[in-house]
Amino acid sequence: MESPFDVLSVEPDADEAEIREAYRERVKDAHPDHGGSAREFQLVRAAYEEIKDGGGDAVDESSEGEDRSPAERAAAAESPGEDDEPRREQRCRVEYLNYEVLDDRGWRVDDPDLMEMAADGGLDREDYGQFWVRPRESLLEAAERHGFAWPFACRGGACANCAVIVLEGDMRTRVDHVLPPEMLEKGFQLSCNGMPVTDELQVLYNVKSMPELEDLLLPPRPFEQAHDD
């Protein structure tokens, strides 16, 4: 998968001026009015934001595995770690959509072109866009790092306030005491401690209002308190 630096066509050691200039050129080319697409435009912007945030490298920053070959790193990423979870050294690029938008636009969860419609729908950044999740970072943590206030309550896998629907890609949840198997089969996952295990992910977030989750939510007051902390 392309790293943020690959998206902007700059070297990882490029200085701030080079990165800014590369972004200006790429965002013009990616703009729908100049022959690009809304999704490409979002990708370029997400790449620039990730690099500005100091997290542009596509591989794990930890010293663990620095001397391993690409084949060894790939094998490690596919093999369970000490906690029996798949390990991923590359960042995951997430394309997200706010579930509340669907009713307003008359869209359905099972629309095959849902993300394409969202990209072309003129939605605010809070409702649709892309960002990168770092290795060992949960989906919710990444969303918050990029400035989003996605729903959550307990952060411990004991409620469904933070639930998302995974449309493409895969996540593994460290702790999940609430979602039954039939909901997992439909793509429901918890974002509070769910970590992507694929290079790309498409998710619907803010799905807590779906009838299937009604009995799995924490009451409104604790949720509001958690958001205010």
Side-chain angles (χ1 to χ4, degrees):
M1 183 194 73
E2 289 184 318
S3 75
F5 289 108
D6 293 331
V7 172
L8 297 188
S9 299
V10 295
E11 295 297 325
D13 59 354
D15 61 29
E16 184 177 347
E18 291 175 305
I19 292 169
R20 186 168 56 249
E21 183 60 28
Y23 169 69
R24 288 174 176 169
E25 291 299 318
R26 284 288 290 116
V27 82
K28 285 189 295 185
D29 293 340
H31 198 282
D33 293 343
H34 294 90
S37 69
R39 295 179 85 179
E40 183 184 8
F41 181 81
Q42 288 277 357
L43 173 60
V44 171
R45 189 165 68 175
Y48 182 56
E49 291 172 351
E50 179 72 8
I51 294 173
K52 284 200 306 178
D53 190 44
D57 289 343
V59 298
D60 190 348
E61 301 97 332
S62 68
S63 59
E64 180 183 5
E66 280 183 346
D67 298 328
R68 287 183 295 178
S69 69
E72 289 172 329
R73 288 197 296 267
E78 294 175 359
S79 301
E82 293 179 0
D83 53 1
D84 293 329
E85 291 181 357
R87 300 184 63 183
R88 180 179 50 83
E89 292 190 25
Q90 273 193 289
R91 282 169 166 72
C92 170
R93 177 163 58 87
V94 174
E95 187 175 13
Y96 62 88
L97 175 62
N98 187 350
Y99 174 74
E100 289 189 349
V101 170
L102 272 62
D103 279 343
D104 295 339
R105 300 298 179 101
W107 299 340
R108 303 188 315 274
V109 174
D110 59 354
D111 280 330
D113 300 323
L114 183 59
M115 285 303 187
E116 286 82 356
M117 294 189 296
D120 294 330
L123 299 174
D124 292 338
R125 180 172 175 266
E126 289 74 17
D127 290 328
Y128 169 79
Q130 301 182 33
F131 60 74
W132 265 265
V133 180
R134 297 173 181 174
R136 295 188 300 278
E137 185 177 44
S138 75
L139 181 59
L140 179 61
E141 289 169 340
E144 291 174 334
R145 179 169 57 82
H146 287 89
F148 300 115
W150 285 17
F152 72 90
C154 72
R155 287 188 182 268
C159 75
N161 295 64
C162 71
V164 299
I165 296 178
V166 177
L167 302 176
E168 293 288 344
D170 196 12
M171 290 206 313
R172 292 290 183 269
T173 305
R174 290 169 292 182
V175 180
D176 180 355
H177 300 300
V178 63
L179 295 178
E182 58 269 21
M183 295 191 70
L184 296 173
E185 291 175 1
K186 293 179 181 179
F188 287 91
Q189 293 276 1
L190 302 181
S191 67
C192 68
N193 54 44
M195 295 184 175
V197 294
T198 51
D199 289 342
E200 297 183 3
L201 199 68
Q202 290 183 348
V203 299
L204 280 177
Y205 80 95
N206 195 24
V207 301
K208 58 186 175 62
S209 61
M210 296 185 72
E212 297 96 318
L213 299 174
E214 183 177 357
D215 295 334
L216 306 177
L217 302 177
L218 283 182
R221 182 172 177 177
F223 170 70
E224 291 168 1
Q225 289 175 336
H227 238 313
D228 291 340
D229 289 343

